[in-house]
Amino acid sequence: MNINEFIKELNKLNIKPTEEELTKLEEYARMLLEYNNKFNLTAITKIEDIYLKHFYDSLSITKAVDLNQELKILDIGTGAGFPGLVLKIFFPKLEIILLDSNNKKISFLNEVIKELGLKNIKCIHGRAEELPTEYRECFDIVTSRAVASLRILTELSVPFLKVNGYFVALKGKAEEELKEAESTLKVLNCEIEKMEKFILPDQISERTIIKIRKEKETPDTYPRKYDKIKKQVLK
C-alpha cells in the first residue's frame, strides 16, 4: 500500500489525514525500520506493508468505535505501538496508555512520542494483570491487537473498563475464539455489541473487530494471575 492508496482507504473510513499527521506517520515508519535492526520490533519490514498491516489495520478500529471525542484508552500488548500510537497521531483528543511487557519496545515508543511531540500519551512497562488498582474501571476503551486469545484478553481487559465502556479486540479469523470466550463474557458481565468482519485492501488478509460492552462492575478477583487465566476457563 503506497501513500496515495493509504489516503484513499482512510477516506473510506471517514478519516481525512492532514499533512502534519502524514508527516508524523512517515517519521514513525522511519524510526520503526531504524530501531527494528536493534530491537526486533516487527517482522513486517517493507514500507508498503507497514502502511497496510500496521497503520491502516490499526485505524480500522474506527469501523466499530467513534474516536472523535475525549476518551481514555488502554492499549494492552501494544508492541511497537499498534493500534494505540497510530490512533494518537490521528485523534489527538484521546488520552492513551500504551502497555507492554517488553521494555525495549517501551523504550522505542518513548523515543517516538518524544520525536513526534505527542501529548497526553504514556507508556507503561508491565503486564495487564499486574496493573495497579488505580487503573481499575477508569478507561472508556481497552483495546488489544492479536496479542492472545479472546478469552484471555477479555479477562485481562474488562477489569480496567468503566461500566458501559468497551473492550475492542482486533483479530484475524475469530470464530473459534468467540465460542471459547462465551462463558468468560458471561462471568464478567459483558456482551458482544458489534462484530465487524472485513478484508484488508490487499484482498487477502481477513480481519474481525469485536466490540464488547461492560454491563456491570468487575469483581476484585479478576483478572487472575496469567497462568491461571491460561489454564482455567471461567464458568
Side-chain angles (χ1 to χ4, degrees), residues 179-197:
K179 290 179 182 177
E180 185 189 38
E182 284 178 358
S183 60
T184 298
L185 290 169
K186 195 171 292 185
V187 170
L188 296 179
N189 302 308
C190 297
E191 68 170 16
I192 296 174
E193 184 170 291
K194 183 176 184 179
M195 193 160 63
E196 184 86 26
K197 294 184 180 181

Side-chain angles (χ1 to χ4, degrees), residues 66-82:
D66 178 13
L67 299 179
N68 291 292
Q69 51 189 316
E70 293 181 0
L71 298 169
K72 191 169 183 179
I73 295 180
L74 172 64
D75 180 10
I76 292 178
T78 189
F82 312 118

Side-chain angles (χ1 to χ4, degrees), residues 40-207:
N40 191 26
L41 300 169
T42 176
I44 297 171
T45 55
K46 291 184 178 179
I47 192 67
E48 296 86 357
D49 290 339
I50 288 173
Y51 272 83
L52 173 66
K53 296 181 179 179
H54 282 327
F55 295 164
Y56 175 82
D57 195 28
S58 293
L59 290 163
S60 69
I61 193 175
T62 58
K63 289 176 176 283
V65 290
D66 178 13
L67 299 179
N68 291 292
Q69 51 189 316
E70 293 181 0
L71 298 169
K72 191 169 183 179
I73 295 180
L74 172 64
D75 180 10
I76 292 178
T78 189
F82 312 118
L85 187 48
V86 181
L87 299 182
K88 183 62 184 178
I89 291 172
F90 286 86
F91 300 95
K93 290 182 182 179
L94 300 177
E95 179 181 349
I96 297 180
I97 289 182
L98 306 175
L99 176 70
D100 202 272
S101 60
N102 186 317
N103 200 36
K104 289 182 179 179
K105 291 178 179 178
I106 291 296
S107 296
F108 165 73
L109 293 172
N110 280 321
E111 287 297 319
V112 175
I113 289 167
K114 180 180 177 181
E115 184 67 25
L116 300 186
L118 301 177
K119 306 297 182 183
N120 222 11
I121 181 168
K122 176 182 177 182
C123 300
I124 296 179
H125 173 228
R127 303 178 63 90
E129 68 273 23
E130 297 169 353
L131 273 179
T133 54
E134 66 187 90
Y135 292 109
R136 287 187 69 88
E137 313 218 328
C138 74
F139 293 94
D140 301 291
I141 294 173
V142 176
T143 189
S144 192
R145 180 173 174 259
V147 173
S149 74
L150 183 64
R151 175 184 71 80
I152 292 172
L153 285 174
T154 298
E155 184 169 345
L156 292 175
S157 301
V158 168
F160 303 101
L161 282 173
K162 299 174 182 176
V163 175
N164 293 318
Y166 292 100
F167 167 45
V168 184
L170 306 182
K171 309 289 291 184
K173 293 183 179 180
E175 285 78 6
E176 290 186 15
E177 292 187 34
L178 284 162
K179 290 179 182 177
E180 185 189 38
E182 284 178 358
S183 60
T184 298
L185 290 169
K186 195 171 292 185
V187 170
L188 296 179
N189 302 308
C190 297
E191 68 170 16
I192 296 174
E193 184 170 291
K194 183 176 184 179
M195 193 160 63
E196 184 86 26
K197 294 184 180 181
F198 65 100
I199 304 294
L200 283 183
D202 64 359
Q203 299 300 314
I204 298 173
S205 308
E206 184 176 326
R207 294 291 188 267

